[in-house]
Amino acid sequence: MTVLALTGGVGGAKLALGLAQVLEEKEVVFLVNTGDDFEHLGLKISPDIDTLTYTLAGIENRTTGWSREGDTLNFLSALEELGGETWFRLGDKDLALHAMRTNLLREGESLTGATAHICSALGVKHQVLPMSDDPVRTVVTTTEGALPFQEYFVRRKCEPAVSRIDYEGAEAARLNPCLKLDEISSVIICPSNPYLSVDPLLSINELSEFLRNTSVPVVAVSPIVRGMALKGPTAKLMKELGFEADARNVARHYQPFIKGFVLDHQDREYISDVERLGLQATALQTIMRTLDDRIELAKQVLEYCSTAFAN
Amino acid sequence: MTVLALTGGVGGAKLALGLAQVLEEKEVVFLVNTGDDFEHLGLKISPDIDTLTYTLAGIENRTTGWSREGDTLNFLSALEELGGETWFRLGDKDLALHAMRTNLLREGESLTGATAHICSALGVKHQVLPMSDDPVRTVVTTTEGALPFQEYFVRRKCEPAVSRIDYEGAEAARLNPCLKLDEISSVIICPSNPYLSVDPLLSINELSEFLRNTSVPVVAVSPIVRGMALKGPTAKLMKELGFEADARNVARHYQPFIKGFVLDHQDREYISDVERLGLQATALQTIMRTLDDRIELAKQVLEYCSTAFAN
């Protein structure tokens, strides 16, 4: 039996790394958001897959959490000199990953196959699966109009207020065929942005139906602590969408899909509110500064899954 | 009136640089071989255009003559780690030029327009024109079968013996429409490989007809000195195609198109042989080690054009 971890960018990858440290290769599968994927300079870029791949390979940039540690920007500086688009930061080594993926896809490989090739080359043994091999594209409707995800997130630095988020292609997208839902023993929604990272996953019908109907534990870990996002624009976005940015509203957001909710010790006062949603809830140390923090949270979430929902 | 210089790779670019040093922007136009162009990792690569562009911009690699000086190979080393194709050496900054061109072409720009954009960004003021905006692809038939040019030239390092060379697409290719043939006052065939660099240019009907019929001086500079190529596989290739590798056979090769032939001082004994072909001939110092050598040869070839063919 296998733990299914749903994850997006940097925040989710922290817990994913913890899970990969405590679970064997066959014991966990990472299903990754591809709503952020886009094409840039002819390259097929999958930011969340790459963040997880680099993190699991131990070569992620320690400062940003994304891209590669010790990368150089010689390509980008030469591109700037030539008048090219440089708003999306592409390191020289990072570029090789995108070129490799683009080439594999051009040769007819699926995104799943290309991801497996790259993971294998970088020594990542755990299974990293794109949520779908079909394109799903997150589009953010803002005060400046509808923006493709990376235009909003990177180019406009999440500044325009958001009124609506769509996941284009989601209705037709098939869940990754390599994911064996009948082998899943529990599901962990990692502390990624609920709207930008996890909702694209939940927008795939086969996955959301599975989560709604399964009898296995489904547990989400809050990315919000004391009303603030540990990383990224989650809190700002919640306010723009009309929700108070606190862990309770994250639980409410996930309520149709989950059975248990993990919030931070600092938010333990909200446990009874979450329980009133018909969910189980527990408070853990969710802030992960060190590798030990990641491992410890992974252990405790797994422990929670295996004990709190026993019949 | 304008000097038209036909050029290919590193050897031709040396004389081209000399010409650019002694002629104003409007006094010379460089028409460049695109038979070597290919697509690699999704990038549109035009090696001869790039060599000339980098050379005229003064940023060419001083050791190889092609690619950029002081470039790094971080992309390539990461690509190797990922199991990608690394036989074509792409520096990180060089990659930016290919990405820029590929993007401009994807946006609907012509190769001429993309080249103009890149030249302008790099401060190249003289006009660099691809021989055609239509694709012409040099295919080399060897003992190992028919090979695309770069497979033969770079991947196989010119090792397989050549029996035949074709320029696919040449019949349908239109001469670069920005080239004004009625403004040309003389034509210089730079010391590039006659078969691999210049013949693709001559394979374009409108250009070869112009050269055959024009009354303006058309002069070729031999890339062969004392039976050896100054750069690249010209001598080896001539032998494989059944010709003794000497300057006389280069003159014979160009005979239908030229009126004058420049060979090296060391080959001055061949002047009478060349004259017997119905050509004029002169011996100059054609080996260009320094920038001064390039400028001096350019001056003397221009002087030869303007005096030897006066009616």
Coordinates of all heavy atoms in Angstrom, one line a residue, chain A residues 41-42 68 72 74-75 78-79 81-84 92-93 95-97 99-100 103 106 117-118 121-122, chain B residues 41-42 68 72 74-75 78-79 81-84 92-93 95-97 99-100 103 106 117-118 121-122:
Chain A
L41 N 10.2 30.7 -24.3 CA 11.4 30.6 -25.2 C 11.4 29.2 -25.8 O 12.5 28.6 -26.1 CB 12.7 30.8 -24.4 CG 12.8 32.1 -23.7 CD1 14.1 32.1 -22.8 CD2 12.9 33.3 -24.7
G42 N 10.3 28.6 -26.1 CA 10.2 27.3 -26.7 C 10.4 26.1 -25.8 O 10.4 25.0 -26.2
R68 N 18.1 25.5 -9.0 CA 19.2 24.7 -8.5 C 20.2 25.5 -7.7 O 20.5 26.6 -8.0 CB 20.0 24.1 -9.7 CG 19.3 22.9 -10.3 CD 20.2 22.3 -11.4 NE 21.3 21.6 -10.9 CZ 21.9 20.5 -11.5 NH1 21.5 20.1 -12.6 NH2 23.0 20.0 -10.9
T72 N 24.3 29.3 -12.5 CA 24.8 30.6 -13.0 C 23.8 31.2 -13.9 O 22.9 30.5 -14.4 CB 26.1 30.4 -13.7 OG1 25.9 29.3 -14.7 CG2 27.2 30.0 -12.8
N74 N 24.5 33.0 -16.9 CA 25.2 33.5 -18.1 C 24.3 33.5 -19.3 O 24.4 34.5 -20.1 CB 26.5 32.7 -18.3 CG 27.5 32.8 -17.2 OD1 27.5 33.9 -16.6 ND2 28.2 31.8 -16.9
F75 N 23.5 32.5 -19.4 CA 22.5 32.5 -20.5 C 21.6 33.7 -20.4 O 21.4 34.5 -21.3 CB 21.6 31.2 -20.4 CG 20.4 31.3 -21.3 CD1 20.4 31.0 -22.6 CD2 19.1 31.6 -20.7 CE1 19.3 31.0 -23.4 CE2 18.0 31.6 -21.5 CZ 18.1 31.3 -22.8
A78 N 23.2 37.0 -21.2 CA 23.4 37.2 -22.7 C 22.1 37.4 -23.4 O 22.0 38.2 -24.4 CB 24.1 35.9 -23.3
L79 N 21.0 36.8 -22.9 CA 19.7 37.0 -23.5 C 19.2 38.5 -23.3 O 18.6 39.1 -24.1 CB 18.7 36.0 -22.8 CG 17.3 36.0 -23.5 CD1 17.5 35.4 -24.9 CD2 16.4 35.1 -22.7
E81 N 21.2 41.0 -23.0 CA 22.0 41.8 -24.0 C 21.4 41.8 -25.4 O 21.4 42.8 -26.1 CB 23.4 41.2 -24.0 CG 24.4 41.8 -25.0 CD 25.7 40.9 -25.0 OE1 25.6 39.7 -24.9 OE2 26.8 41.5 -25.1
L82 N 20.7 40.7 -25.7 CA 20.1 40.5 -27.0 C 18.7 41.0 -27.1 O 18.0 40.9 -28.1 CB 20.1 39.0 -27.4 CG 21.5 38.4 -27.7 CD1 21.4 36.9 -27.8 CD2 22.1 39.0 -29.0
G83 N 18.2 41.6 -26.0 CA 16.8 42.1 -25.9 C 15.8 41.1 -25.7 O 14.6 41.3 -26.0
G84 N 16.1 39.9 -25.2 CA 15.2 38.8 -25.0 C 14.4 39.0 -23.7 O 14.7 39.9 -22.9
D92 N 21.6 28.5 -15.9 CA 22.2 27.7 -17.0 C 22.0 26.2 -16.8 O 21.7 25.6 -17.8 CB 23.7 28.0 -17.1 CG 23.9 29.5 -17.4 OD1 23.2 30.1 -18.1 OD2 24.9 30.1 -16.8
K93 N 22.1 25.7 -15.6 CA 21.9 24.3 -15.4 C 20.4 24.0 -15.4 O 20.0 22.9 -16.0 CB 22.5 23.9 -14.1 CG 24.0 24.0 -14.0 CD 24.5 23.5 -12.6 CE 26.0 23.6 -12.4 NZ 26.4 23.2 -11.1
L95 N 18.2 25.4 -17.1 CA 17.9 25.4 -18.5 C 18.0 24.0 -19.2 O 17.3 23.6 -20.1 CB 18.8 26.4 -19.2 CG 18.4 27.0 -20.5 CD1 17.1 27.8 -20.4 CD2 19.5 28.0 -21.0
A96 N 19.1 23.3 -18.8 CA 19.3 22.0 -19.3 C 18.2 21.0 -19.0 O 17.8 20.2 -19.9 CB 20.6 21.4 -18.8
L97 N 17.6 21.2 -17.8 CA 16.5 20.3 -17.5 C 15.3 20.6 -18.4 O 14.7 19.7 -18.9 CB 16.1 20.5 -16.0 CG 15.0 19.6 -15.5 CD1 15.3 19.3 -14.0 CD2 13.7 20.2 -15.7
A99 N 15.4 22.0 -21.4 CA 15.7 21.5 -22.7 C 15.6 20.0 -22.9 O 15.1 19.5 -23.9 CB 17.2 21.9 -23.1
M100 N 16.0 19.3 -21.8 CA 15.9 17.8 -21.8 C 14.4 17.4 -21.9 O 14.0 16.6 -22.7 CB 16.6 17.3 -20.6 CG 16.7 15.8 -20.6 SD 18.0 15.3 -21.7 CE 17.4 13.7 -22.2
N103 N 12.9 18.2 -25.3 CA 13.3 17.3 -26.3 C 12.6 16.0 -26.2 O 12.2 15.4 -27.1 CB 14.8 17.1 -26.2 CG 15.4 17.0 -27.5 OD1 15.1 17.7 -28.5 ND2 16.4 16.1 -27.7
R106 N 9.1 16.3 -27.4 CA 9.1 16.4 -28.8 C 9.3 15.1 -29.5 O 8.7 14.8 -30.5 CB 10.2 17.4 -29.3 CG 10.1 17.8 -30.7 CD 11.3 18.7 -31.2 NE 11.4 19.9 -30.4 CZ 12.4 20.2 -29.6 NH1 13.5 19.3 -29.5 NH2 12.4 21.3 -28.9
H117 N 12.4 10.1 -16.6 CA 13.8 10.1 -17.1 C 14.7 11.1 -16.3 O 15.8 10.7 -15.9 CB 13.8 10.5 -18.6 CG 15.1 10.7 -19.2 ND1 15.7 9.8 -20.0 CD2 16.0 11.7 -19.0 CE1 16.9 10.2 -20.3 NE2 17.1 11.4 -19.8
I118 N 14.2 12.3 -16.1 CA 14.9 13.3 -15.4 C 15.2 12.9 -13.9 O 16.3 13.0 -13.4 CB 14.2 14.6 -15.5 CG1 14.3 15.1 -17.0 CG2 14.8 15.7 -14.6 CD1 13.3 16.3 -17.3
A121 N 17.9 10.3 -13.8 CA 19.2 10.9 -14.1 C 19.8 11.6 -12.9 O 21.0 11.7 -12.7 CB 19.2 11.8 -15.3
L122 N 18.9 12.2 -12.1 CA 19.3 13.0 -11.0 C 19.3 12.2 -9.7 O 19.5 12.7 -8.6 CB 18.4 14.2 -10.8 CG 18.5 15.3 -11.9 CD1 17.5 16.4 -11.7 CD2 19.9 15.9 -12.0
Chain B
L41 N 17.9 20.4 -30.2 CA 17.3 20.7 -28.9 C 16.2 21.8 -29.0 O 16.0 22.5 -28.1 CB 18.3 21.2 -27.8 CG 19.5 20.2 -27.5 CD1 20.5 20.9 -26.6 CD2 19.0 18.9 -26.9
G42 N 15.6 21.8 -30.2 CA 14.5 22.7 -30.4 C 15.0 24.1 -30.8 O 14.2 25.0 -31.0
R68 N 31.5 32.1 -28.5 CA 31.8 33.4 -27.9 C 33.0 33.2 -27.0 O 33.2 32.2 -26.3 CB 30.7 33.9 -27.0 CG 29.5 34.5 -27.8 CD 28.5 35.0 -26.9 NE 29.0 36.2 -26.2 CZ 28.2 37.2 -25.7 NH1 26.9 37.1 -25.9 NH2 28.7 38.2 -25.1
T72 N 30.7 29.9 -20.9 CA 30.8 28.8 -19.9 C 30.0 27.6 -20.4 O 29.1 27.8 -21.3 CB 30.2 29.3 -18.5 OG1 29.0 29.9 -18.7 CG2 31.2 30.3 -17.9
N74 N 28.0 25.5 -18.4 CA 27.2 24.9 -17.3 C 25.9 24.2 -17.8 O 25.5 23.2 -17.3 CB 26.8 26.0 -16.3 CG 28.1 26.6 -15.7 OD1 29.1 25.8 -15.5 ND2 28.1 27.9 -15.4
F75 N 25.3 24.8 -18.8 CA 24.2 24.2 -19.5 C 24.5 22.8 -20.0 O 23.9 21.8 -19.7 CB 23.6 25.0 -20.6 CG 22.7 24.3 -21.5 CD1 21.3 24.2 -21.2 CD2 23.1 23.7 -22.7 CE1 20.4 23.6 -22.0 CE2 22.2 23.1 -23.5 CZ 20.8 23.0 -23.2
A78 N 25.2 20.2 -17.3 CA 23.9 19.7 -16.7 C 23.2 18.8 -17.6 O 22.5 17.9 -17.2 CB 23.1 20.9 -16.2
L79 N 23.2 19.2 -18.9 CA 22.5 18.3 -19.9 C 23.2 17.0 -20.0 O 22.5 15.9 -20.1 CB 22.6 19.0 -21.3 CG 21.7 18.4 -22.4 CD1 20.2 18.6 -22.0 CD2 22.0 19.1 -23.7
E81 N 24.6 15.4 -17.5 CA 24.2 14.7 -16.3 C 22.8 14.1 -16.5 O 22.4 13.1 -16.0 CB 24.1 15.8 -15.2 CG 23.7 15.3 -13.9 CD 23.6 16.5 -12.9 OE1 23.1 17.6 -13.3 OE2 23.9 16.4 -11.7
L82 N 21.9 14.8 -17.3 CA 20.6 14.4 -17.6 C 20.5 13.4 -18.8 O 19.4 13.0 -19.1 CB 19.7 15.6 -17.9 CG 19.4 16.5 -16.7 CD1 18.8 17.8 -17.2 CD2 18.5 15.9 -15.7
G83 N 21.6 13.0 -19.3 CA 21.6 12.1 -20.4 C 21.2 12.7 -21.8 O 20.9 12.0 -22.7
G84 N 21.4 14.0 -21.9 CA 21.0 14.7 -23.2 C 22.2 14.6 -24.2 O 23.3 14.2 -23.9
D92 N 26.8 28.7 -22.6 CA 25.6 29.3 -22.0 C 25.2 30.6 -22.6 O 24.0 30.8 -22.8 CB 25.9 29.5 -20.5 CG 26.2 28.2 -19.8 OD1 25.6 27.2 -20.1 OD2 27.1 28.2 -18.9
K93 N 26.2 31.4 -23.0 CA 25.8 32.7 -23.6 C 25.4 32.5 -25.1 O 24.5 33.1 -25.6 CB 27.0 33.7 -23.6 CG 27.4 34.2 -22.2 CD 28.5 35.1 -22.2 CE 29.0 35.6 -20.9 NZ 30.2 36.5 -21.0
L95 N 24.0 30.0 -26.2 CA 22.7 29.4 -26.2 C 21.6 30.5 -26.2 O 20.5 30.4 -26.8 CB 22.5 28.7 -24.9 CG 21.5 27.6 -24.7 CD1 21.6 26.5 -25.7 CD2 21.6 27.0 -23.3
A96 N 21.9 31.6 -25.6 CA 21.0 32.8 -25.6 C 20.7 33.3 -27.0 O 19.6 33.6 -27.3 CB 21.5 33.9 -24.7
L97 N 21.8 33.3 -27.8 CA 21.6 33.8 -29.2 C 20.7 32.8 -29.9 O 19.8 33.3 -30.6 CB 23.0 33.9 -29.9 CG 23.0 34.5 -31.3 CD1 24.3 35.2 -31.6 CD2 22.8 33.4 -32.3
A99 N 18.4 30.8 -28.6 CA 17.1 31.0 -28.1 C 16.4 32.2 -28.6 O 15.2 32.2 -28.9 CB 17.1 31.0 -26.6
M100 N 17.2 33.3 -28.7 CA 16.6 34.6 -29.2 C 16.2 34.4 -30.7 O 15.1 34.8 -31.0 CB 17.7 35.6 -29.1 CG 17.2 37.0 -29.4 SD 16.2 37.6 -28.0 CE 15.1 38.8 -28.9
N103 N 13.1 32.2 -31.0 CA 11.9 32.9 -30.5 C 11.4 33.9 -31.6 O 10.3 34.0 -31.9 CB 12.2 33.6 -29.2 CG 11.0 33.6 -28.3 OD1 10.4 32.6 -28.2 ND2 10.7 34.7 -27.7
R106 N 9.9 32.0 -34.3 CA 8.6 31.5 -33.9 C 7.5 32.6 -34.0 O 6.3 32.3 -34.3 CB 8.7 30.9 -32.5 CG 7.5 30.1 -32.1 CD 7.6 29.6 -30.7 NE 8.7 28.8 -30.4 CZ 9.7 29.1 -29.6 NH1 9.7 30.3 -28.9 NH2 10.8 28.3 -29.5
H117 N 18.2 41.8 -36.0 CA 17.9 42.1 -34.6 C 19.1 41.7 -33.7 O 19.6 42.5 -32.9 CB 16.7 41.3 -34.1 CG 16.5 41.4 -32.6 ND1 15.5 42.3 -32.1 CD2 17.1 40.9 -31.6 CE1 15.5 42.2 -30.8 NE2 16.5 41.4 -30.4
I118 N 19.7 40.5 -34.0 CA 20.8 40.1 -33.1 C 22.0 40.9 -33.4 O 22.8 41.3 -32.5 CB 21.1 38.6 -33.4 CG1 19.9 37.8 -32.8 CG2 22.4 38.1 -32.8 CD1 19.8 36.3 -33.3
A121 N 21.7 44.2 -31.7 CA 21.9 44.1 -30.2 C 23.3 44.0 -29.9 O 23.8 44.4 -28.8 CB 21.0 42.9 -29.7
L122 N 24.1 43.3 -30.7 CA 25.5 43.1 -30.4 C 26.4 44.2 -31.0 O 27.6 44.1 -30.9 CB 26.0 41.7 -30.9 CG 25.3 40.5 -30.2 CD1 25.8 39.2 -30.9 CD2 25.7 40.5 -28.7

